[in-house]
Amino acid sequence: MHVRELAVRDVYEFSPRLFRDTRGFFGAPFQEEVFVKTVGHPLRLGQINHSVSRLGTIRGVHFADTPPGQAKYVYCPVGALLDVVVDLRVGSPTFGTWDATRLDAEACAAVYVPEGVGHAFVALEDDTVLAYLCSTPYNPGAEHAIAPLDPELGLPWPADLEPVLSEKDRSAPALAEASAAGLLPDYAACVRHYESLRGA
């Protein structure tokens, strides 16, 4: 398993070794030992989400109140997508920074998104599937969104795709508006939460 930290602090991409033969291939997108060594604590599992999206669909930028927040370990078992993370933690050294990585069914790579970091993606093919291992169950009262088309963020959505958005994401506030309204996670609170997960 190859691991690299993305430009947003505490976010990691995990790329498993794939074993190919005449039948196809086998890979393990999540490996607990590598995950714990990288992140410092086990992945709590409160819910598994499964989304199917048509070409051009953008889901996000989503985040939850922290603590407890909702960490996500995401991978793409069918199709292909551009996965995007945005540091929404006020006070973070990488606040406002985003990074993106392609996830697809051929590479079986995964991205870990810790509590307090925003997550979004765009489907690059019809019927693209994203599987999310989530640390906590869905809590509608604690879920929030940032406008994925916020020009100040400048997220790298492909220019040749017509974006397909939910009404929730289309009407979500820009990053500056959410910050002014006090909706964004506090970095120090997130760090304390991470340390509690590590038993520090």
Side-chain angles (χ1 to χ4, degrees), residues 5-194:
E5 187 170 17
L6 300 188
V8 174
R9 179 176 283 194
D10 307 311
V11 178
Y12 298 91
E13 179 188 55
F14 294 84
S15 301
R17 182 182 176 192
L18 301 180
F19 300 89
R20 300 181 184 274
D21 61 24
T22 55
R23 300 167 298 171
F25 71 87
F26 174 86
F30 177 76
Q31 298 172 31
E32 183 178 38
E33 183 177 357
V34 177
F35 180 87
V36 172
K37 183 177 179 182
T38 302
V39 178
H41 60 81
L43 178 66
R44 297 183 302 162
L45 185 58
Q47 181 169 311
I48 296 176
N49 296 340
H50 177 101
S51 68
V52 181
S53 301
R54 69 182 176 97
L55 176 68
T57 295
I58 296 174
R59 296 183 189 264
V61 178
H62 298 155
F63 67 101
D65 292 334
T66 303
Q70 186 184 69
K72 299 172 183 174
Y73 191 93
V74 300
Y75 77 101
C76 177
V78 178
L81 58 91
L82 185 68
D83 198 73
V84 177
V85 291
V86 183
D87 196 342
L88 303 177
R89 301 165 297 181
V90 176
S92 167
T94 56
F95 175 75
T97 300
W98 60 261
D99 204 347
T101 187
R102 179 186 169 97
L103 300 181
D104 59 45
E106 290 300 309
C108 286
V111 172
Y112 173 65
V113 186
E115 297 89 344
V117 173
H119 178 255
F121 72 89
V122 60
L124 302 177
E125 299 177 6
D126 280 329
D127 300 319
T128 287
V129 174
L130 187 67
Y132 317 63
L133 283 66
C134 302
S135 63
T136 57
Y138 175 64
N139 179 1
E143 298 286 332
H144 306 285
I146 298 294
L149 304 182
D150 178 359
E152 293 299 315
L153 278 178
L155 299 181
W157 309 124
D160 60 336
L161 292 182
E162 182 67 29
V164 180
L165 300 171
S166 69
E167 183 53 39
K168 172 187 173 182
D169 291 340
R170 189 175 299 281
S171 61
L175 179 63
E177 294 170 329
S179 180
L183 293 177
L184 300 180
D186 175 71
Y187 180 64
C190 290
V191 169
R192 288 193 298 271
H193 181 66
Y194 306 155

